[in-house]
Amino acid sequence: MTKELLGLSKEELLSEIMSIGEKPFRAKQLWQWIYFRGETNFDNMSNLSKDLRIKLKEHYTITRPKIVDEQISIDKTHKWLLEFADGQRIETVYIPEDDRGAVCVSTQVGCAVGCTFCHTGSQKITRNLTAGEIVAQFMIARDAYKEWPSPTNETRYLSNIVVMGMGEPLHNKDEVFKALKILSDGSGVAISKRRITLSTSGIVPNIEAVASELGVKLAISLHAPTNEKRSEIMPINNRYKIEDILEACQKYQAIMGMSRMITFEYLMLKDFNDSIEDAKILVALMKKYKLGAKFNLIPFNPWPGCKYQPSSNNKVHAFSKFLESAGYEAPIRVARGQDILAACGQLKSKKTSEF
Ligand code: SAH
Ligand code: SF4
């Protein structure tokens, strides 16, 4: 049996290399081949001796998941359905902008949080992804855009990572953190931590660690201004209340600094949470907790069988204006890749044609 190298931390890679009797600097070289050059074939690792390449092949593999399906939206959003060795499937999305782009990675097969508006949440949790499986999603996207070796300038096709795909990342904290440490390492893939955003439904005990152990940007899926309303659409709110989440956000900001804005994602659901009254309560909450915050208003993306309607444009704009007049940025997110079910909350473990 060969062992998979993708997803090992630097320390783990080093001990592997030592365990086959090689010098520590070989681990550095391998790391560069895997994460700076994107190489998967030991035969192409030209600065390693032939004997070493043979030895590596005997013991190890560097694999990519199988691409089961791949779709590109009319707006160029690119979605992959990926299958891992045990047959489990997840989706990964690349969202291009003019001079940059974000890869949206999944962290679990399904999700245990079960938000009523989310397509992923309607699929029960099957398992956590490993660090290697999370890293591999980014590698697949970089392979597709041939962005190897890792570009050193700021303009890249793949410049950002958003942990906003399938799953609740803070229910799989250890593997997610390990993956993001690998992807942000400066001698490999080198995506700066300022360009990585982790989005959570609010798993309170793990929020502070996003700052203390990792240092990436934080987004909170808030979606409602009161506990009563939030519990109705996000069952996790029965466990972790809005006040607990905002206190955890204060701890995050105490470590990261007030200038590191926390994004509050707010899904606009027709006649449920889209009134000016709701916006007023939100502003009062933010003022009370003195958070450096901005909002991201998300138009609801429908999926087959969902029971919600998106708010009207007028309401979304009025809501945004109100928040902005209170001093909070509140852009309206443009839905991307809707035609291929690649937008927020639309991901699942199936081909789009199978719905
Ligand atoms: N589990 C994490 C991250 C993945 S979801 C979280 O919930 O934050 C990424 C974002 O998509 C979240 O803000 C989520 O609430 C939002 N989302 C889920 N379903 C959606 C839908 N149908 N339309 C628009 N956004 C949705
Ligand atoms: Fe899970 Fe996030 Fe979807 Fe809620 S919105 S079910 S936490 S993936």
Side-chain angles (χ1 to χ4, degrees):
M1 258 291 271
T2 51
K3 185 166 181 180
E4 178 60 38
L5 291 182
L6 198 75
L8 295 189
S9 67
K10 264 189 164 164
E11 299 71 31
E12 286 168 342
L13 187 64
L14 179 65
S15 58
E16 280 300 333
I17 289 307
M18 309 274 279
S19 78
I20 58 165
E22 292 294 328
K23 297 227 167 65
F25 80 96
R26 295 291 183 202
K28 241 186 193 169
Q29 287 179 316
L30 251 182
W31 183 272
Q32 281 203 338
W33 279 113
I34 299 172
Y35 295 113
F36 180 68
R37 303 219 164 255
E39 189 54 68
T40 54
N41 184 347
F42 293 109
D43 287 330
N44 294 338
M45 301 186 176
S46 51
N47 60 356
L48 307 182
S49 71
K50 197 152 178 240
D51 287 351
L52 175 55
R53 284 183 250 161
I54 292 169
K55 195 150 120 191
L56 288 171
K57 270 198 283 188
E58 269 167 31
H59 290 88
Y60 304 113
T61 41
I62 306 163
T63 38
R64 299 284 192 259
K66 185 170 146 201
I67 300 174
V68 180
D69 196 24
E70 190 173 353
Q71 285 174 287
I72 300 182
S73 152
I74 41 170
D75 70 15
K76 303 246 167 31
T77 300
H78 196 150
K79 182 172 83 165
W80 295 265
L81 176 63
L82 304 178
E83 184 177 291
F84 300 111
D86 66 350
Q88 291 298 333
R89 295 174 172 191
I90 54 92
E91 292 188 309
T92 303
V93 180
Y94 169 63
I95 309 135
E97 306 280 348
D98 284 347
D99 55 350
R100 64 208 154 92
V103 179
C104 176
V105 297
S106 294
T107 55
Q108 297 182 306
V109 183
C111 183
V113 178
C115 304
T116 53
F117 49 77
C118 175
H119 207 191
T120 306
S122 70
Q123 175 190 340
K124 298 274 168 288
I125 178 82
T126 307
R127 70 169 173 86
N128 282 335
L129 297 187
T130 63
E133 290 167 339
I134 297 165
V135 168
Q137 296 173 55
F138 185 87
M139 306 304 261
I140 287 275
R142 253 217 187 143
D143 292 348
Y145 291 88
K146 301 191 170 53
E147 205 164 45
W148 298 114
S150 296
T152 42
N153 55 2
E154 282 291 302
T155 44
R156 310 167 169 203
Y157 286 118
L158 281 65
S159 56
N160 291 55
I161 296 173
V162 290
V163 187
M164 296 187 184
M166 297 165 60
E168 169 46 58
L170 296 186
H171 272 164
N172 184 17
K173 170 179 167 277
D174 292 349
E175 296 299 306
V176 170
F177 281 22
K178 187 176 173 191
L180 295 180
K181 281 178 191 164
I182 293 171
L183 291 169
S184 58
D185 181 89
S187 57
V189 169
I191 301 291
S192 141
K193 286 182 178 170
R194 293 179 171 272
R195 292 179 177 273
I196 300 178
T197 304
L198 183 147
S199 172
T200 176
S201 59
I203 311 303
V204 167
N206 287 340
I207 289 180
E208 188 179 350
V210 177
S212 61
E213 293 176 30
L214 196 59
V216 301
K217 283 163 75 174
L218 178 66
I220 302 282
S221 290
L222 192 60
H223 304 328
T226 62
N227 284 315
E228 197 191 348
K229 280 195 183 177
R230 195 168 189 265
S231 298
E232 210 178 309
I233 54 173
M234 300 180 74
I236 192 81
N237 198 69
N238 291 313
R239 185 119 177 245
Y240 305 118
K241 300 269 174 277
I242 293 179
E243 293 74 21
D244 304 331
I245 297 175
L246 298 182
E247 270 174 31
C249 286
Q250 287 178 325
K251 291 182 186 154
Y252 169 92
Q253 228 151 31
I255 297 170
M256 299 297 291
M258 284 298 278
S259 62
R260 194 64 82 85
M261 294 279 190
I262 297 170
T263 302
F264 288 92
E265 296 164 283
Y266 195 92
L267 192 58
M268 301 291 295
L269 300 172
K270 186 174 178 200
D271 299 332
F272 177 74
N273 62 359
D274 59 354
S275 71
I276 292 299
E277 227 11 77
D278 293 313
K280 276 186 189 157
I281 305 174
L282 272 184
V283 168
L285 266 179
M286 291 302 136
K287 299 256 187 256
K288 181 172 172 204
Y289 285 86
K290 297 188 174 47
L291 291 167
K294 60 180 183 190
F295 290 91
N296 205 332
L297 303 181
I298 314 178
F300 174 63
N301 294 312
W303 37 271
C306 67
K307 57 178 183 183
Y308 297 100
Q309 298 282 324
S311 301
S312 68
N313 274 345
N314 282 349
K315 280 220 160 166
V316 180
H317 280 96
F319 203 93
S320 165
K321 265 213 168 118
F322 185 90
L323 295 176
E324 293 197 335
S325 64
Y328 297 96
E329 275 179 56
I332 301 160
R333 188 184 285 172
V334 181
R336 298 290 302 270
Q338 262 189 338
D339 55 325
I340 58 165
L341 289 181
C344 289
Q346 292 184 317
L347 305 185
K348 263 206 131 165
S349 296
K350 282 185 188 172
K351 290 188 187 178
T352 307
S353 58
E354 286 169 0
F355 289 116

